[in-house]
Amino acid sequence: MPNPSPPRATALTATALLLLGALAGCGDDGDSKDEDLSAQKLSWKDCPEPSASEGGGDAPSPLPGGDTWKCATLKAPLDWDKPKGDTIGLALIRAEASGPEDRRIGSLLFNFGGPGGSGITTLPAFGQDYKQLRTRYDLVSFDPRGVGRSAGVKCENDEQLDAYFQQDGTPDDDAEQRTLLDSTKKFNKACEKNSGKVLPHVRTTDAARDMDLMRQVLGDDRLHYFGISYGTELGGVYAHLFPKKVGRAVFDAVVDPTQNPEQGSLGQAKGFQRALDNFAEDCTSKTQDCPLGDSAQDVKDRIAKLLKDLDGRPIPGVFPRRLTQTAATSGIAQSLYSQEFWEYLTEGLQQAYDGDGKVLMLLSDSMNGRDQDGEYSNISAANVSISCADDKPRYTTADVRAKLPEFRKASPLFGDYLAWGMVGCTDWTVAGAADHPDVSAAGSAPILVVGNTGDPATPYEGARKMVDALGKGVGAELTYKGQGHGAYDSGNKCVRDAVNGYLLNGRVPSTGTVCS
């Protein structure tokens, strides 16, 4: 979503990584007239430091045992309808399997969400979580087209983005609405000016075709896949296009594939509100006094008052910027992606009540891909570009105003914020492809679908919708009764054992299995 609001379905790993610093990258463009791209040989080399568009930072640390992460560039058609035409370079990263060669299954391809998250930076940052999977798989991830060094979309510069994310994303009158729409149109035109050639070719269907090319070049008969957040939508589209090529696949933090953008935004409003309710209940149920209020409702009332006050009177944030209502809202949303972030939300709110908005602004910066040097990754530009190319509906201010009561009922705190996000694609230069993705995958191998009951960004109900949409006998649903975005990276042993048991040994958990 192109206004100052949470990306469509970014995985915790991709957003949390922006607080910690990013790790690696690669990429290239070229021409291909008669070359058989499926026969290309990849040149794997030590990974350089990540580009600014990937989030910056240091090159990835050595792997246990002294092995190193390797990066390569895959050539893919710019336009899959013209496979012999111009090519783009897709950045890949790999850690080779640590176990015996005769136990190796193949490559396990990861997508961590967004759309717009850099797999080049995310996989090594959280690679330790996948240590057991590496015993039998080469761990592989990539910057999808439009992201990072894979023909990364460029829109506004850092100074312009600072202003863009400071604007009022929840307008209260006609003048504020015009300002928001003008700012959104300006952002969209900058994307067209700076990246017009690639914008028609960043749809999820294009990325799915890229993944099948990766499968072939990596030498696998079937695609073994781990998709998180938006990565579940990408995986579902792949399964629809190439059902007979699906190997062992896991979808974690599941996008509801049956929803249009309005329904998805409304679902997120409910999801983030539920997560905020859980945060407030957790704070006030502890034995010591909750520093944010005497009851869960008191906690939420104080947050609502803070945001209302910030609408007219921003407070100092990260100098020289001030914490606005919109920045505070996105910072709160970011902190709800993981229960581990709740302590930062508590600290940030305490400081904001005392007139210091630094912590909440740092959380907001993390959501938007801004580092401490003021440089932005291209996660927001890529998120907008892919979402608008995928999503057919275009919403007007009249549509938003008509839906505001329903959004406010779903979430008094996040409702306006997410409702106004629907205007982001209205002036987009590329027509959207469909109301929602087609993930029907008759004939596919089993896909393990993992839903988290406390997930704010991809609400739990989406897991069952994905299972139904994949088709009979394809999806196997696993429920995790937890908090935060996603289940596997929560560290829950039951979830880890179930996922590892399938990916490593082919054991599909019974549908309806519950972990807590």
Side-chain angles (χ1 to χ4, degrees), residues 45 115 174 198 212:
K45 300 177 182 179
D174 289 344
V198 73
D212 199 59

Side-chain angles (χ1 to χ4, degrees), residues 212-488:
D212 199 59
L213 178 61
M214 292 175 200
R215 174 192 65 78
Q216 296 172 65
V217 173
L218 291 169
D220 292 324
D221 292 332
R222 291 174 176 258
L223 181 76
H224 306 296
Y225 180 75
F226 199 137
I228 303 169
S229 196
Y230 160 79
T232 66
E233 179 179 325
L234 175 57
V237 170
Y238 179 90
H240 172 70
L241 294 175
F242 306 100
K244 299 297 185 181
K245 296 300 182 181
V246 176
R248 297 175 186 175
V250 174
F251 296 173
D252 184 8
V254 187
V255 173
D256 184 340
T258 69
Q259 292 181 332
N260 63 29
E262 176 194 321
Q263 294 165 334
S265 294
L266 185 62
Q268 280 200 328
K270 295 174 182 177
F272 277 102
Q273 185 64 46
R274 181 163 53 199
L276 185 69
D277 293 344
N278 292 338
F279 163 77
E281 289 285 353
D282 179 77
C283 186
T284 55
S285 66
K286 293 177 178 177
T287 53
Q288 69 268 33
D289 291 339
C290 174
L292 302 178
D294 297 328
S295 66
Q297 190 59 51
D298 186 33
V299 171
K300 290 182 285 186
D301 288 344
R302 291 190 69 193
I303 294 173
K305 183 179 184 304
L306 171 68
L307 295 178
K308 183 178 180 180
D309 290 345
L310 289 172
D311 193 25
R313 295 187 299 276
I315 60 177
V318 177
F319 184 82
R321 296 173 299 146
R322 299 179 72 80
L323 181 74
T324 63
Q325 180 191 56
T326 298
T329 306
S330 65
I332 293 168
Q334 166 70 340
S335 68
L336 296 175
Y337 271 76
S338 169
Q339 192 166 4
E340 293 180 1
F341 284 12
W342 286 6
E343 63 179 288
Y344 302 117
L345 178 55
T346 299
E347 180 184 358
L349 289 170
Q350 285 182 278
Q351 292 186 8
Y353 295 146
D354 291 333
D356 181 355
K358 183 176 182 180
V359 171
L360 288 182
M361 179 156 272
L362 288 173
L363 287 164
S364 177
D365 286 347
S366 172
M367 173 73 80
N368 297 324
R370 187 187 195 272
D371 67 20
Q372 294 189 27
D373 294 324
E375 292 186 327
Y376 285 85
S377 73
N378 91 316
I379 187 170
S380 293
N383 184 276
V384 173
S385 302
I386 298 168
S387 298
C388 294
D390 278 349
D391 297 336
K392 186 175 182 180
R394 299 294 187 247
Y395 300 101
T396 66
T397 55
D399 294 328
V400 174
R401 286 194 292 266
K403 291 294 181 180
L404 275 174
E406 188 176 3
F407 273 77
R408 287 168 176 165
K409 182 179 179 181
S411 175
L413 196 148
F414 297 106
D416 282 50
Y417 180 64
L418 285 159
W420 281 106
M422 295 193 302
V423 302
C425 294
T426 301
D427 297 305
W428 196 250
T429 184
V430 177
D435 288 337
H436 57 81
D438 190 345
V439 300
S440 58
S444 168
I447 296 173
L448 180 57
V449 178
V450 187
N452 180 353
T453 58
D455 198 313
T458 50
Y460 169 68
E461 295 78 8
R464 167 50 49 184
K465 295 293 184 65
M466 177 65 82
V467 168
D468 292 342
L470 287 169
K472 186 176 181 180
V474 177
E477 185 178 6
L478 171 69
T479 294
Y480 169 51
K481 291 186 175 180
Q483 303 298 330
H485 188 39
Y488 188 90

Side-chain angles (χ1 to χ4, degrees), residues 7 10 23 30 36 39 91 106 114 137 145 152 155 157 173 177 187 265 305 313 323 467 491 497 500 504 511:
T10 304
L23 297 173
D36 179 4
Y137 289 99
R145 55 174 60 215
C155 296
N157 62 33
D173 54 40
Q177 288 178 25
F187 179 94
S265 294
K305 183 179 184 304
R313 295 187 299 276
L323 181 74
V467 168
D497 288 348
N500 291 347
L504 294 173
T511 287

